Each structure stands twice: as C-alpha cells, then as structure tokens.
Amino acid sequence: MTTPSRERLARARVLVVGDAMLDRYWFGAVDRISPEAPVPVVRVNREEERLGGAANVALNVKTLGAQATLLTVVGDDEPARTLKKLLERQGVTALLGSDPQLYTIVKLRVIGRSQQLIRIDFENQPDHEVLAAMLGDYERALPEHDAVLFSDYGKGGLTHIPRMIELARAAGKPVLIDPKGSDYGRYAGATVITPNRAELAQVIGSWSSEAQLHERAQKLRAEHRLEGLLLTRSEEGMSLFDAAGHAQVPAQAREVFDVTGAGDTVIATLAAMLACGHSLREAMPVANRAGGIVVGKFGTASVSYEELFA
C-alpha cells in the first residue's frame, strides 16, 4: 500500500464542493411503550452534533492530515451557525454562501438501546441555483488547491457542476465525484466518479455477470470521458475501471458496525492521495482500507493518519 509522508499529506489541499448538512443525534433510554401509539418512548439523556454530507467529507480530508476547504451554501438559521462553529473547531476552512430561502439540511437521528429508531430530515428544495453566486469564490479558490471533490447529495447545490468541472480540468486539477441520480452526463470530463452498486445500477441497469458489468462500466466511462470509475461494492471490496482495464481490491472491514458515511471516507481518502500526486491505482487500496476502518465506528466518522498507516 502506498504511504505518503505526513509532511507531504499536510501540504496537500482539497477543495470540497457540495451539499453540507448537520447530523444531530439524540441518545436515550427506552423503558416503555407509549400509551398513545405502539411506539417506544425515548427519554433523551445526551445530544450530539456532527458534520454531515459534504461537511463530513471535508472533515475526513482534514482528519487524515491534509488541508480541506468546504465551499457550500447554507441557510440563514441556527443549524448554519452550528455548522460554522463545528467547521471552525475542526480546522476546516469554510467558504459559506448564505441563502435566506434555504433551510440548512439537518438529519436528526434518535438512538435508543444503541440502535437508530427513527431519522427525521429537515430540508427544502431550493427553487433556484444556490451555488451560482459562488462561482467567483470557486474560481478564486481553485489555484490554491491540488484536487477538487464534488459531494453530490442531490439537494440542488450542484446544478452548475459541468462548468465547475471544466474550470478545474482547465487548471489541471484532478476532479473526484461522489455521484447522485441517473444523469452522469453532468459529470463528463471528471477524473473519477465513485458510485456504489445501487447508484451504478440506476445508470447502467443491474448486471447479471462480471463480464456484463465490466463492459457497461467501461462504456459509461468512455461515453463521459472519465479517467476512472471506482465502484464501491461493500463486502466485495472495490473495482476500478480505467483505460488500462480493471483492478479490484477485496473488502477490508473486520467488523461492520455502521456504514453511515463510509462513502465519504473513501472519496476523501482518494482525494487526499490524488492531491499528493498518487495515481488512482495507487490510491484505491488506501481508500479501501479507510472505508474498512470507518464502518467499524458509530455514525458519520473519520479515520486518522495513524489508524490508516499504522
């Protein structure tokens, strides 16, 4: 496995663009069933707030030891202020646009007896392009970074992505994309996209054999001028489709506790490695190992340099 020096990693700069969220956790005891409806009553005794969505991706880059900048648009509300505080505390540089018509996305998870009982989402779909006004900030930030990572959660923040990819590629920066939806034409020209099995099947249809998967994945890659398509396959590890063909690494997880945010860790690690000058084929086993470590943790989590290269 390729190991960048800590110093080299500390100089690597990743610009993360996408939909940021605030993850809230309410932990409590469940001792009885409600008399009003057949649901458990949770007596909340602890609350926790964590960075979610693109903000968690940026945190993963930072925890690994590289520098991270997050470019995103949030609402003018309490969750936005909390998000800002958390980013500052974690040392993630934030370029935050504020849009009063937007609700900052909050995912509230209620946990009782160590399991998630319900998730409540607070969000609205903007009726306009929220990141358009930040194109100038994006162009100014580009030269100062070594790689650009788009974290697309399909929340309306990345309508301008084709222009952003074009600018990054013209500046010679590798572009990584965690995709959403079925229109991969928006990601044309990117260095690599990292769909999971369900996301890829949405675009190429379900495959009945490895040969069929390889053929369709390569066709999709060529069609959208992608250098690589990295398929994350849970217990089957990862497959990279590139101009040289296909490379696969087996899954690394010893014990799967929670898969929340594992994709964030994988793409953040990949971006940090590419920002250090490594190739996709060199970066893939490192990202695979990071994903294997993070699924052993609870909730949206991240991996440190020590854990990864111990």
Side-chain angles (χ1 to χ4, degrees):
M1 190 171 79
T2 313
T3 306
S5 72
R6 202 184 283 264
E7 296 70 38
R8 177 67 192 93
L9 200 56
R11 291 197 308 273
R13 299 157 304 180
V14 179
L15 176 60
V16 179
V17 185
D19 304 305
M21 315 175 183
L22 181 63
D23 281 340
R24 287 200 152 125
Y25 294 88
W26 289 358
F27 298 90
V30 179
D31 302 320
R32 62 195 181 101
I33 298 299
S34 167
E36 303 157 358
V39 293
V41 174
V42 182
R43 197 174 67 253
V44 176
N45 51 33
R46 182 163 68 88
E47 295 179 31
E48 207 175 290
E49 291 171 324
R50 298 184 190 179
L51 296 166
N56 181 50
V57 177
L59 172 63
N60 269 273
V61 171
K62 188 78 179 84
T63 308
L64 205 52
Q67 297 175 49
T69 302
L70 173 67
L71 185 134
T72 191
V73 179
V74 290
D76 179 10
D77 49 20
E78 177 272 326
R81 291 185 282 279
T82 302
L83 207 56
K84 200 173 172 183
K85 268 194 291 220
L86 287 174
L87 288 163
E88 275 169 16
R89 192 185 303 159
Q90 299 290 357
V92 173
T93 305
L95 298 172
L96 298 184
S98 177
D99 184 337
Q101 291 178 45
L102 200 65
Y103 295 149
T104 302
I105 301 165
V106 175
K107 290 185 175 177
L108 168 63
R109 297 171 176 90
V110 181
I111 317 289
R113 291 188 181 149
S114 301
Q115 65 181 35
Q116 190 177 147
L117 301 176
I118 190 170
R119 189 181 97 183
I120 304 156
D121 291 5
F122 302 86
E123 61 183 273
N124 66 338
Q125 201 63 37
D127 60 358
H128 54 292
E129 164 50 87
V130 293
L131 263 183
M134 296 198 75
L135 212 51
D137 297 279
Y138 174 79
E139 288 189 63
R140 282 187 292 277
L142 256 185
E144 301 163 10
H145 293 84
D146 304 302
V148 183
L149 191 168
F150 291 98
S151 184
D152 194 350
Y153 280 85
K155 303 295 183 189
L158 285 177
T159 322
H160 267 63
I161 198 169
R163 178 75 185 125
M164 290 179 158
I165 293 171
E166 198 183 315
L167 289 164
R169 298 306 272 150
K173 315 286 180 185
V175 171
L176 303 93
I177 296 169
D178 190 355
K180 206 44 156 207
S182 54
D183 175 19
Y184 281 12
R186 308 164 57 213
Y187 309 134
T191 308
V192 63
I193 61 172
T194 62
N196 60 31
R197 287 179 296 201
E199 286 163 344
L200 188 62
Q202 227 184 319
V203 181
I204 64 170
S206 24
W207 49 90
S208 53
S209 67
E210 280 294 305
Q212 193 180 53
L213 164 64
H214 290 212
E215 185 197 335
R216 289 183 188 175
Q218 288 291 17
K219 189 177 166 216
L220 182 74
R221 190 184 67 76
E223 194 182 320
H224 298 311
R225 310 187 314 281
L226 306 166
E227 281 178 36
L229 187 157
L230 182 76
L231 173 63
T232 56
R233 311 178 69 172
S234 302
E235 71 287 349
E236 292 172 14
M238 286 180 190
S239 289
L240 175 68
F241 301 95
D242 59 12
H246 166 252
Q248 186 156 0
V249 285
Q252 290 253 313
R254 291 171 297 283
E255 185 184 357
V256 176
F257 184 70
D258 187 355
V259 296
T260 310
D264 292 351
T265 302
V266 167
I267 197 167
T269 308
L270 211 57
M273 294 296 286
L274 262 58
C276 285
H278 294 291
S279 71
L280 274 174
R281 289 205 170 208
E282 289 167 334
M284 176 171 68
V286 185
N288 185 52
R289 180 172 162 78
I293 294 169
V294 87
V295 293
K297 301 181 178 189
F298 177 76
T300 44
S302 47
V303 176
S304 69
Y305 185 92
E306 291 76 12
E307 288 174 293
L308 190 51
F309 299 111

